Amino acid sequence: VTCHVSQSEVGQGIHTGMAQILADELDVPWERIAVRHAPLADAFRITLYDYTAQFVGGSLSVALLFERLRQAGAEARARLIEAAAASWNVSAAEVRAEQGVLRGPRGLSAAYG
């Protein structure tokens, strides 16, 4: 799983923090999250007060991006479950994510990430 982060890692540990947030929501081991610096693009800008940009946020980086990463991870997990359910012709309620593997009825499984 690759996470593109707009803030630079300059020793404050944000790449580890971002990986852990995303891993928790995706239900995948955090060591399997690759964190890459995002390209310069509007989609990766964040707003702090009235200032919108890509910048080194220091200790604010995790706080500013926590909710976005949490929601992105939860949405990705839900879509993976829905895709597996459709492929296996079962209901999404019968599919669960566990440590980077989707598990369904009758021993069905598929790894992701």
Side-chain angles (χ1 to χ4, degrees):
V1 177
T2 301
C3 175
H4 291 272
V5 177
S6 57
Q7 279 49 54
S8 297
E9 170 64 67
V10 291
Q12 75 277 41
I14 63 164
H15 284 190
T16 300
M18 303 291 182
Q20 289 173 329
I21 294 165
L22 194 56
D24 285 348
E25 288 298 334
L26 277 171
D27 203 346
V28 66
W30 77 269
E31 300 90 351
R32 290 185 40 204
I33 306 286
V35 179
R36 303 286 183 259
H37 192 70
L40 290 174
D42 287 344
F44 294 106
R45 291 176 176 233
I46 62 170
T47 300
L48 177 61
Y49 306 113
D50 291 329
Y51 185 69
T52 300
Q54 285 179 242
F55 55 88
V56 176
S59 61
L60 287 174
S61 297
V62 172
L64 291 170
L65 295 172
F66 175 82
E67 193 62 27
R68 284 186 192 184
L69 280 171
R70 192 190 66 72
Q71 288 176 351
E75 179 69 23
R77 179 177 26 85
R79 288 183 184 221
L80 288 165
I81 287 171
E82 289 170 9
S87 176
W88 297 335
N89 200 27
V90 299
S91 75
E94 296 178 89
V95 181
R96 68 187 186 287
E98 282 182 354
Q99 296 295 299
V101 177
L102 297 168
R103 302 200 184 277
R106 303 180 310 276
L108 294 167
S109 67
Y112 60 92

